Amino acid sequence: MMKLTIDQTLKKGVEAHKAGKLQEADHFYTAILKAQPKHSDANHNMGVLAVGIGKVQEALPFFKTALEANPSIAQFWLSYIDALIKLNRVADAKLVLGEAKSKSIKGDSFEQIEQRLIGLEKGIDVKVDSSKSQEPPKEQLQNLINIYTQGLFQKALAQGSELLKDFPNSINLYNIIGAANKDLGKLDKAIEAYNKALSLNPNYAEAYYNMGNALKDQLKLDEAIEAYNKALSIKPDYAQAYNNMGNILQNQGKLDEAVEAYNKAISLKPYYAQAYNNMGNILQNQGKLDEAVEAYNKAISLKPDYAEAYNNLGITLERNGQLEKALEIYEESIYRIPKNILLKMNLERLKSRLVPSWHINMMNDNHRNDAYFEAIKLAVSKNYTVLDIGTGSGLLSMMAADSGAKKIITCESSRNISNIAKKIIADNGYNEIIKVINKKSTDLIVGKDLPEKVDLVISEILSSEFVGEGVQSTILDANNRLMKSTGKMIPESGEIRIALIGESSEVLESVFINKVGKFDLTKFNSISGNKVNVKLKEKPNILSDTEIAFKINLFGCKNITEQEKIIVFTAKKSGMCYGLIQWMRINIYKKVKYENMPGETASHWGTPIYLFDEPVSLKLGEKIKIKASLFNDRVWFCEVL
């Protein structure tokens, strides 16, 4: 008998497969794989064969091997993605789809499957009962889902309602109409639609799940949990329902129950990045930082562009004292997710924290020193107990002692700095009046670290952005816990000021690269960041009037100021605008003020420049909108496009 070639064997296998002779097809494919284990077509067909008999999990290695052997075949990708969907591994299917797109594999089938994946994440999938005419044709339903997943919620609602006239018993239409109403904020209408779907099919798990999401948005948390439990009674492997239930339980403070829900979600869906991230949040709140780090790393390994998990991981590493590792995480996150503003801000903040070279410049800033000394002399009385927050070199504490204060307690979070400060204070003869404590002010205990609440709080924990060193939360705590009701505070308040900045040789040399000789280096600007902290020697080219972006009270503050606003600037002159320059005005005490207006006051504080993505050519009188954002511990400005 003549021996068959590989190609002939494959042909025989395909013929048997098409004829429904599955055992015979398996025999031929297996023979090929014994001779060539990496044969792409044989592996793919074995996968298809396994799916056809319900062994979807067993099909995955075959599809994966087929792709590794020949990643240029579109059908190999589609079969693999479809198998993952059948296993409810939607996140993994999205990752595989993304990999296919990165290899320029495309076509209508890929666009359709992408829309289906988006719908599945929202609890929407097409279910057609071919024995009845209760549902629209599958193509019409898929088109409606595509409209919804593109964010055209009003259009989806209108089209779904129109289809409902012809198919009044369609559970799919009611589910999609419910989802569209939810995303339009019409939560009662959404719940009404889900209830109609359930009246038609009481075993429709997705409708219960979606109803749970709507009830959660209405803050009807117990009812939402009940809806998720009904979904799970119908579909016990519904991982998303367990995850969302965990979120509610976490918000209710039921952490053990939340952990149990997340664990169930992960056991059902081991590749569920969001559940790992949520689990990390609980572990971080419980102070289990190493376990939280492990959970966030797992989430990122499953979803490499997961910005929230990167941010949570970086913050947890910082809390754990692993600052260098946190820096690596932020840098990696910016590489993967370059447009995420929060990650950029965290990276800039941590860089500044790791390189505290500004201490020397600060101590040599005579304008600052003179202003503070003048204010301290005005504020101090001889029987005062003073708290100096942020010891540094001990300079402000020694100023208070020299001004006649009875007792000064100063706190410093850095052990190295506090140890040096003790020596400096002793060398200057103030060690009996000034006590240095190696703690954050927020950890000080009245009656233990402080004999009683103090008469005067002094701090100089302002950054170039004013708020970047935790000043708001620190001073709020000092007002509430550490200072007498009759006490005083230095500084009392401040303003964040901004203006449009134009072209000048000094600014361009600090923030922008163009050509060096005949060499064009302008593309380097795209990786240099949108915020630069500079110290200008010359007066900058200001193109607008000064605007007070934010006013921040310190003395007597009752809450943290967070605000977002649009500021409209009018160009006072024509020119190329590179962004915004920012500085601050500090009301130190009574009549004593300090402003580090760039080009007018020599200051250790830099003047941050927030660069636009591209320079803007402005004409006299032309207006430009700026979005100003003040957070607890940071500030950001950008152009409104």
Side-chain angles (χ1 to χ4, degrees), residues 8 38 57 97 308 430 508 557 618:
Q8 290 170 332
K38 302 284 187 183
Q57 186 67 46
L97 178 62
E308 184 181 347
Y430 293 106
L508 288 181
C557 69
L618 290 179

Side-chain angles (χ1 to χ4, degrees), residues 355-539:
V355 189
S357 58
W358 43 262
H359 280 284
I360 300 297
N361 287 330
M362 179 180 68
M363 288 181 279
N364 282 322
D365 187 341
N366 291 326
H367 292 288
R368 179 207 80 129
N369 297 341
D370 293 344
Y372 262 84
F373 206 176
E374 181 183 355
I376 289 169
K377 287 176 182 176
L378 286 172
V380 167
S381 293
K382 64 179 181 179
N383 292 322
Y384 271 17
T385 298
V386 176
L387 171 62
D388 174 18
I389 297 175
T391 309
S393 65
L395 177 61
L396 300 185
S397 291
M398 291 188 289
M399 287 179 177
D402 195 63
S403 299
K406 178 180 69 174
K407 181 71 177 177
I408 299 103
I409 297 98
T410 179
C411 59
E412 170 61 55
S413 61
S414 167
R415 183 177 297 278
N416 288 338
I417 293 176
S418 63
N419 288 339
I420 290 295
K422 289 176 184 177
K423 295 177 182 178
I424 293 171
I425 288 165
D427 288 347
N428 283 275
Y430 293 106
N431 56 309
E432 292 189 6
I433 302 174
I434 301 172
K435 179 184 178 182
V436 180
I437 300 176
N438 177 213
K439 275 187 177 182
K440 293 180 178 180
S441 66
T442 50
D443 294 331
L444 294 176
I445 300 172
V446 176
K448 180 180 177 183
D449 301 310
L450 303 176
E452 59 181 354
K453 291 186 177 183
V454 301
D455 302 287
L456 173 65
V457 173
I458 301 171
S459 68
E460 203 285 67
I461 52 175
L462 303 175
S463 71
S464 298
E465 300 87 348
F466 193 100
V467 293
E469 290 185 31
V471 62
Q472 291 207 82
S473 55
T474 298
I475 297 304
L476 178 63
D477 176 72
N479 275 285
N480 289 340
R481 292 195 312 113
L482 308 176
M483 187 178 70
K484 292 178 180 177
S485 60
T486 57
K488 304 172 183 176
M489 182 171 284
I490 293 175
E492 294 181 317
S493 63
E495 298 169 352
I496 296 174
R497 299 186 163 203
I498 56 174
L500 298 177
I501 188 166
E503 189 171 356
S504 71
S505 58
E506 188 178 17
V507 167
L508 288 181
E509 287 175 6
S510 301
V511 305
F512 193 78
I513 184 68
N514 190 358
K515 286 187 176 182
V516 176
K518 66 178 183 178
F519 306 107
D520 185 350
L521 307 180
T522 52
K523 281 192 170 56
F524 197 86
N525 296 302
S526 65
I527 62 169
S528 61
N530 288 81
K531 178 186 170 189
V532 184
N533 207 27
V534 299
K535 291 188 177 179
L536 301 176
K537 296 177 181 178
E538 302 171 1
K539 191 168 183 176

